[in-house]
Amino acid sequence: MSRTPSLLPERWGPVSQLFHWTCAALIIALGTIGLYMTELTSPVAKIRFYALHKSLGLTLLALVLLRLLWRWTHKVPGPVPGMSRHLKLAADGMHGFLYAMMIAMPLTGWLINSTAGYPLQWFKLVNLPAIAANNEHLNGIAKNLHEFGFWLLALLVVGHVGAAIYHHVFLDDGTLHRMLPWRRRLPPPESTP
């Protein structure tokens, strides 16, 4: 499908914005809970937080897949006018890595759960199948991938936020406003004498 700039929306629509900010909130919650739950000493509290972490991770996986489906079936804004080629490539690469990690993290968590032989439930409502057999060696690999993936995702999120701030503060090109639910107020037109 050919996308000519004149036919592209100027900003992200409300559904895309909802996906974006919900995924952002889930990533923050998952990271916070993930760091907190590993330090718990109470077995009951630990089980509850692990269950919450797993359910939120599965929610993130579902939302990211829905978000990609939405993106592939709806028009998305083109690059900000005047954006250099290298900045566009960097933005596309950053978004690609973010999507990959938002899928990889829940999948490695699911693999940890499966290879440990634990049942997996989504908020005690749906039982999900194991994606691998009980396997101690594979479990260790999955744990390492999940931990490494967490720090990589954290780095990508910091880079993404830093890029948004850079565009907003230094370039003032409207990039950040395209994903915010409220519209940027434009200055009133200058009157000619």
Side-chain angles (χ1 to χ4, degrees):
M1 172 171 74
S2 157
R3 293 179 174 174
T4 57
S6 61
L7 300 177
L8 292 177
E10 177 186 313
R11 46 188 279 114
W12 294 95
V15 174
S16 295
Q17 290 176 13
L18 181 63
F19 277 132
H20 177 274
W21 294 109
T22 304
C23 287
L26 280 170
I27 289 169
I28 292 167
L30 283 160
T32 304
I33 292 167
L35 292 171
Y36 177 71
M37 70 188 189
T38 57
E39 302 299 320
L40 290 172
T41 54
S42 163
V44 174
K46 199 166 205 165
I47 288 169
R48 285 186 184 150
F49 275 95
Y50 268 83
L52 177 61
H53 183 77
K54 292 172 189 180
S55 293
L56 291 176
L58 291 168
T59 303
L60 177 65
L61 178 61
L63 284 177
V64 170
L65 295 175
L66 287 172
R67 182 178 179 183
L68 286 170
L69 180 63
W70 181 265
R71 186 180 171 121
W72 289 328
T73 58
H74 291 77
K75 290 181 180 178
V76 299
V80 172
M83 182 182 278
S84 69
R85 185 173 181 269
H86 75 275
L87 275 181
K88 168 130 178 43
L89 287 172
D92 289 346
M94 172 70 75
H95 288 115
F97 280 125
L98 278 168
Y99 278 113
M101 292 309 299
M102 287 188 294
I103 292 170
M105 289 302 294
L107 289 178
T108 56
W110 195 341
L111 185 60
I112 291 167
N113 199 77
S114 297
T115 55
Y118 296 129
L120 182 59
Q121 292 183 329
W122 181 73
F123 292 110
K124 297 183 182 179
L125 299 172
V126 178
N127 293 319
L128 292 141
I131 57 173
N134 194 339
N135 182 315
E136 189 176 332
H137 178 69
L138 185 54
N139 183 264
I141 293 170
K143 283 179 179 176
N144 287 335
L145 287 172
H146 198 67
E147 184 177 350
F148 173 76
F150 165 73
W151 294 110
L152 179 57
L153 180 58
L155 183 64
L156 289 170
V157 167
V158 168
H160 184 65
V161 170
I165 292 169
Y166 173 76
H167 277 274
H168 184 70
V169 173
F170 296 103
L171 299 181
D172 192 30
D173 60 8
T175 296
L176 179 62
H177 289 282
R178 292 169 15 136
M179 188 51 84
L180 294 174
W182 55 86
R183 292 195 176 271
R184 182 179 192 176
R185 293 190 181 172
L186 298 173
E190 293 180 19
S191 57
T192 54

